Amino acid sequence: MSEVVELLQRLIRVDTTNPPGNETAAADLLREYLEANGVACEWYAKVPERANLVARIPGAGGPSLALLSHTDVVIADAAEWKRDSFGGELVDGEVWGRGALDMKGQVAATAVAVASLAREGFRPSGDLIFVAAADEEVGDGFGLSWLCSEHADAVRADHSLNEGGGERLDLDGKALWVCATAEKMSAPFRLRVHGRSGHASMPGIADNALLKAAALVERLGAYRPEPRIEPEVAALLQSVAGSVPEDPSELLPFARAIDPQLGDLIEPLVSLTFAPTMIEASSKRNVIPALCEVTVDSRLLPGQTVDEQLACVRAVLGEGDYELESIEAQGGTRSPMQTPLWEAVASFVAAEDPGAVLAPVCVSGFTDSHWMRDAFGTVAYGFFPARAMPPEEAALLIHSANERVPVDDLELGVRFLRHAALAMLG
Ligand SMILES: [Zn+2]
């Protein structure tokens, strides 16, 4: 059996469901494997049961490359699964279990790439750094954010690769691989709507905050923000179509006309988004609420600010008896697109899939790459190639039941990470 499959099976069998995480068990396993292959390991743990593992093949002082991953996973509901969610079974060429795609598969592929280079006596020009971080899924400050602030020397790197991209789309016969070079900012806020309480049997004498909130929620839902042409979207369309519409309002129709998948891919990337997700009003059926709180998930384009967002919300909602409260904004960083790391990814795609195009994308979710860009100005991309499993299938399995990864994609991942290390540090 291949080395990466065996390592992934062992990682899946270690339950690192976050919360509580218990990533130390995974860090231990990785340390044992890497040390057996001659790679020096460093151990960083804010609390003993939530260790981060950093390993390094020291370089000769040139620019460094960090291969990032996280070892925690989200909860799995066993009743929904066809197989043991922590079994790591190999069935018909696929490894099953929580984390197979997000992201123990990449953890295993990264460890194998680094271990195999070490065995071959690879002497990099700059440090090759392996980071298996804790606590990405919840983000309570035990993982990469903590490493970047408290152990900066351990994880500082000129370039980094992480999760967040690597999908292969088939656009009307033309293959397109996406590399994540930027991400939106997660900036949720609370909308607090005020009224006056009263007995629910006499609604006329009260002022129902829930009803007032309903009208505001509808306004948010109906709002269509002004699209913008962001550099990643422009570069993406340029590589696929050879041109970019000048009028931002033409972006989506233009992309959809090429392929509906392309429209879906760029839709969240042309503007900020609002998605009301939680609501709280009266705690008694017969009491009309004086206060209704709506929590709104909101994602901003890189460079957009929370002030801009709140001004936009006020313009959409108009005057009223409400206030807005930002919850906590994070992310929203980008890396340049013309870099040696881009060339390294592009040369892999060219060799692996002749005729295919590599295009940048700004991801709508949050990844640990943000911490590297924010702390060190690292050129941080998300790319882990997947070809055997179509992206629409993977999207349904991540954070869901029956998560699994094809062995062919794990091996493709090992080839990619070795290629990137050799291209950047050879
Ligand atoms: Zn992940």
Side-chain angles (χ1 to χ4, degrees), residues 70 102-103 136-137 163:
H70 65 83
D102 183 14
M103 67 175 292
E136 190 273 345
E137 297 290 359
E163 63 181 345

Side-chain angles (χ1 to χ4, degrees), residues 291-374:
L291 174 69
C292 179
E293 281 198 356
V294 183
T295 305
V296 182
D297 182 283
S298 176
R299 311 287 167 136
L300 314 189
L301 295 172
Q304 277 184 323
T305 63
V306 169
D307 285 348
E308 235 176 287
Q309 171 206 37
L310 296 180
C312 171
V313 176
R314 283 192 197 95
V316 172
L317 300 183
E319 293 287 310
D321 199 1
Y322 65 83
E323 73 238 4
L324 301 173
E325 182 196 1
S326 276
I327 298 172
E328 147 187 278
Q330 97 175 343
T333 48
R334 60 167 35 117
S335 289
M337 294 175 274
Q338 270 93 37
T339 67
L341 188 58
W342 183 268
E343 293 308 316
V345 180
S347 60
F348 175 78
V349 167
E352 200 68 44
D353 194 3
V357 171
L358 177 69
V361 73
C362 168
V363 293
S364 46
F366 177 87
T367 75
D368 271 345
S369 296
H370 165 72
W371 302 118
M372 298 293 284
R373 294 191 193 107
D374 194 43

Side-chain angles (χ1 to χ4, degrees), residues 409-421:
D409 282 344
L410 291 171
E411 283 167 352
L412 180 68
V414 175
R415 286 205 297 283
F416 165 65
L417 293 162
R418 283 178 51 91
H419 173 93

Side-chain angles (χ1 to χ4, degrees), residues 29-41 115 118-119:
L29 195 163
L30 290 163
R31 173 161 71 175
E32 182 200 317
Y33 168 78
L34 288 164
E35 285 182 346
N37 284 281
V39 186
C41 292
R119 287 198 297 264

